[in-house]
Amino acid sequence: YKKHRQEALQQLALRLAEQVESTRRAITLEPMPASERRLIHLALADHPSVTTSSIGEGEDRKVVILPKQG
């Protein structure tokens, strides 16, 4: 299950990164556990045109995928 979830999150991250790239608008994901947020950050760490950050507190913490400036 864990491996499947990890792959699903990586696919989601890349799909959403493409969306952010084409629309130039930030996308906010649903709240998720720290381990899953980390997977999203890692999946997009080397992406040329998007960046990620986490917003919110505790249980409501979520990942935002943003277009890189410039």
Side-chain angles (χ1 to χ4, degrees):
Y1 167 78
K2 214 171 182 183
K3 181 126 184 75
H4 180 73
R5 178 74 177 148
Q6 186 175 349
E7 287 170 11
L9 284 170
Q10 287 171 336
Q11 294 301 317
L12 174 73
L14 295 171
R15 211 167 51 242
L16 292 176
E18 282 177 24
Q19 248 180 287
V20 170
E21 207 173 351
S22 62
T23 63
R24 304 297 295 160
R25 290 175 189 260
I27 293 179
T28 305
L29 282 70
E30 75 279 1
M32 58 180 74
S35 59
E36 294 185 355
R37 285 198 314 273
R38 185 170 179 275
L39 288 172
I40 302 280
H41 289 304
L42 289 173
L44 298 177
D46 298 327
H47 198 285
S49 56
V50 301
T51 185
T52 60
S53 70
S54 290
I55 58 164
E57 306 253 323
E59 297 285 306
D60 285 334
R61 218 151 151 74
K62 27 180 137 14
V63 175
V64 184
I65 302 173
L66 306 140
K68 276 190 183 159
Q69 301 305 313

